[in-house]
Amino acid sequence: MSKLRFRVVETAFKKKPAQVEVPAERPSEYFAKYVFNKEKMFKYLPSKVYDKLVDAIDNGAPLDRSIANDVAAGMLKWATEMGATHYTHWFHPLTEGTAEKHDAFVDHDGKGGMLEDFSGKLLVQQEPDASSFPNGGIRNTFEARGYSAWDPSSPAFIVDDTLCIPTIFISYTGESLDYKAPLLKALRAVDKAAVDVCHYFNPEVKKVVAYLGWEQEYFLVDEGLYAARPDLLLTGRTLMGHESSKNQQLEDHYFGAIPTRVAAFMKDLEIEALKLGIPVKTRHNEVAPNQFELAPIFEECNLANDHNLLLMSLIRKVARTHGFRVLLHEKPFKGVNGSGKHNNWSLGTDTGVLLMAPGKTQEENLRFLTFVINTLMAVYKHNGLLKASISSATNAHRLGANEAPPAIISSFLGKQLSQVLQLLEESPKEELLNISGKQGMKMDIPQIPELLIDNTDRNRTSPFAFTGNRFEFRAVGSMANCASAMIALNAALADQLTQFKKDVDALIKKGEPKVSAILEILRQYVKICKPIHFDGNGYSNEWKEEAAKRGLDCETSVPVIYDNYLKEETIKMFESTGVMNKVELEARNEVKWETYTKKIQIEARVLGDLAMNHIVPIATQYQSDLIDNVYKMKELFPAEKAVKLSAKNLELIEQIADHTLYIEEHVATMIEARKEANQIESEREKAIVYHDKIALMLDEIRYHIDKLELIVDNQKWALPKYRELLFIR
């Protein structure tokens, strides 16, 4: 081990766990300490203002702008009492992260001094620079105006000394430049469409809420080792590195005892998360070494998404206090499991019913089947779009490898639910129903049985699996903004539920009884969406062939997958639900293609630099040592014996020459390929070239670097190896 690497590794391993200051209270007593939730609103706002604000939050009532000054005054009083000195509009630009600009609570008092001030105008609306964020051509550089607008449905919170106000972000001309605005529109669309369908079963339903429970996977690496790996620092993943002799093959890390240092970090993270109102509940070791998972209790989708983005920021901050760096990249290490962010999604009513959960009565199960089958229809119609919503340059490394689902969207239902759908599909219309007074619905196919919660097994290879009372969208990447997947899913379902109601109402108008009409349309839908249902091994080549025959999207090129956003049926769906228009969709695709290109471009630059300035010089130096040894052997021993003793070294010398020559030639080729690709004006075509040519070169060059790692003297290899990076001590 080189002296530099030894010092880095030694320092990393000597890190002591930070002392966790555990509050004396129970978690329930300090939960949401730094959140301006309803409890704080009730305390700091006038009663009439509180009622109007809560009505807007709970019922979607139009927010009366006249109350903004009172809300701002209450927020200011609470925030300053908590030690806040600044405020910011906290929004989600098209960068997968969050953005904020801090302003102090100060203004002139007119007497030469200053006073604390925060008006309703500043609460409701701000004007950040819209030209410097990705916009896909919606805004020119010289057209900088854009607006952030308060989202009262997600409560303000305090981080350090700053009051953070969740907001949407739109252009001067009204197009959304963020993830939150279309997410809110998608949630509103599915609310309206689902309420209309719920009225078939209960006319008292007034609101349907989409719920989200994310499972955040991540890796931890010692900070000293991280600092010694420029590829981790600049790209979030290791662009080189031969796999460790031992990694996850013994399955001894999964659900194992949490290492002491990591447990201290987790406790600290959970305390800080709970103070910010993030209801974290579960923590455990994941499958790969140094891989862990954190999951909260389910929340309303918009709030859950805000909490996930806040958690990703918080986890980085807390990790550093414990001598760690967090890796949220989907595939930071080759050869071991990558990280996902499973999105557990469901719908619930204001009457307390979970629509994706089976019930105990005939009517409850018919309602359950209605929403499950319509979800399957939405996923079937828009399987390409859902894949596009989770696709990225980083997630592409994970999908289809080591437990992650494949890049083909299908849905696992489990044995019992599959049998029910099969019975529904195969039964002739005249045998479907036997209605008897008020005794409820009886089915002669036979009757729909009482379905049990968690009646399915888990299929780790299914991207969209039914898990008893919800669907688990497993293909979402660990770095991703959950909103991307949730926008597509909720909008698609809203569109599908609207079509379902039209189809059912058309039969009712023809004289068909309501329940019979519902069942008939569901029976038709089960047949139509049958191709999306797959309970088998998603990794098999047979499934890839079968999926193609079924008409499912089997494309693997990320830039081409993005084309699904601009298909005629996708644009129609988004526009009919009011979520996004064609201009916004085109702009977002420009951003996606450009982002893909830039990420591969950065990786290519980093790999080229490391190869030519670190790897090749080190390998050449070791090669020179071997050559020197061969000459000394010839001087010391008789020719025949010298040749025999030097045979292994001569073989290594030749191998090093072959590997370094390949690296040098292909790095030069890669540079030229980048130069040519960068001349392409179309962002789509440029991204495709980066995918088809340059991304492949990264793996080819890496192969030879990893071979050199096995050859070169360990003391000379300057970069920390997998066996050091993957095991926390």
Side-chain angles (χ1 to χ4, degrees), residues 341-358:
K341 180 151 51 193
H342 305 165
N343 278 203
N344 294 277
W345 168 88
S346 65
L347 298 174
T349 71
D350 59 339
T351 58
V353 173
L354 195 60
L355 297 174
M356 297 297 173

Side-chain angles (χ1 to χ4, degrees), residues 382-393 395-397 399-400 405-409 473 475 484 488 552-567 569-570 574 585 588-589 592-593 596 684-685 687-688 691-692:
H382 299 284
N383 70 95
L385 171 65
L386 289 174
K387 181 162 70 174
S389 76
I390 55 87
S391 293
S392 67
N395 204 23
H397 295 288
L399 294 180
I408 302 172
I409 299 297
F473 199 176
S484 180
L552 302 183
D553 192 312
C554 299
E555 181 60 60
T556 58
S557 169
V558 172
V560 177
I561 290 171
Y562 289 152
D563 288 345
N564 285 287
Y565 273 102
L566 299 180
K567 287 184 176 179
E569 58 268 29
T570 302
F574 276 122
L585 290 168
R588 282 164 190 267
N589 259 30
K592 289 177 181 292
W593 285 319
Y596 180 89
R684 178 183 182 275
E685 297 307 316
I688 289 174
H691 173 274
D692 292 349

Side-chain angles (χ1 to χ4, degrees), residues 76-129:
L76 174 63
K77 188 173 189 301
W78 170 72
T80 52
E81 287 179 2
M82 296 297 294
T85 58
H86 290 67
Y87 67 93
T88 183
H89 274 200
W90 184 79
F91 56 98
H92 315 167
L94 302 177
T95 60
E96 302 294 343
T98 58
E100 53 197 68
K101 174 176 69 74
H102 298 194
D103 288 299
F105 288 124
V106 293
D107 203 350
H108 290 292
D109 66 357
K111 302 175 184 177
M114 303 200 82
L115 51 81
E116 285 77 25
D117 182 57
F118 182 54
S119 67
K121 179 181 178 181
L122 297 176
L123 166 64
V124 171
Q125 183 176 312
Q126 288 278 285
E127 190 182 318
D129 185 346

Side-chain angles (χ1 to χ4, degrees), residues 355-369:
L355 297 174
M356 297 297 173
K360 295 183 178 180
T361 67
Q362 304 283 345
E363 184 179 51
E364 288 173 351
N365 279 326
L366 179 60
R367 180 187 61 213
F368 160 70
L369 288 176

Side-chain angles (χ1 to χ4, degrees), residues 424-616:
L424 183 60
E425 175 191 358
E426 295 176 352
S427 297
K429 179 179 177 181
E430 59 271 14
E431 295 182 10
L432 278 177
L433 287 172
N434 176 20
I435 303 296
S436 178
K438 294 184 179 181
Q439 295 179 6
M441 181 189 68
K442 295 182 179 180
M443 299 184 66
D444 294 330
I445 57 175
Q447 298 180 33
I448 296 176
E450 178 182 342
L451 302 182
L452 303 176
I453 298 296
D454 295 333
N455 58 16
T456 71
D457 195 358
R458 287 180 175 267
N459 188 324
R460 296 296 183 181
T461 70
S462 178
F464 196 80
F466 180 71
T467 57
N469 59 359
R470 63 191 182 276
F471 281 94
E472 184 179 18
F473 199 176
R474 295 178 50 83
V476 182
S478 52
M479 286 179 65
N481 186 324
C482 298
S484 180
M486 291 296 100
I487 290 167
L489 178 58
N490 286 290
L493 181 59
D495 183 65
Q496 173 56 38
L497 288 172
T498 300
Q499 183 60 49
F500 172 74
K501 189 171 190 308
K502 290 179 181 178
D503 292 343
V504 172
D505 287 351
L507 286 183
I508 292 175
K509 286 181 180 179
K510 292 179 180 180
E512 192 82 24
K514 180 181 70 174
V515 174
S516 179
I518 291 172
L519 276 167
E520 172 58 21
I521 297 302
L522 291 180
R523 186 174 67 87
Q524 294 175 20
Y525 283 1
V526 169
K527 293 180 179 181
I528 294 171
C529 70
K530 195 172 182 178
I532 205 69
H533 176 199
F534 179 66
D535 285 0
N537 180 9
Y539 288 162
S540 67
N541 290 326
E542 290 79 8
W543 166 235
K544 294 177 184 178
E545 295 173 4
E546 174 63 22
K549 292 178 182 178
R550 294 185 184 189
L552 302 183
D553 192 312
C554 299
E555 181 60 60
T556 58
S557 169
V558 172
V560 177
I561 290 171
Y562 289 152
D563 288 345
N564 285 287
Y565 273 102
L566 299 180
K567 287 184 176 179
E568 183 179 349
E569 58 268 29
T570 302
I571 295 172
K572 181 180 178 182
M573 180 273 290
F574 276 122
E575 290 188 334
S576 67
T577 53
V579 175
M580 284 186 283
N581 58 38
K582 185 177 180 181
V583 172
E584 290 171 313
L585 290 168
E586 290 174 338
R588 282 164 190 267
N589 259 30
E590 288 294 305
V591 172
K592 289 177 181 292
W593 285 319
E594 185 178 13
T595 300
Y596 180 89
T597 296
K598 287 179 177 179
K599 288 191 174 183
I600 303 299
Q601 185 182 73
I602 290 170
E603 289 187 349
R605 287 174 173 173
V606 172
L607 182 63
D609 175 59
L610 288 176
M612 300 308 297
N613 293 301
H614 290 251
I615 305 305
V616 170

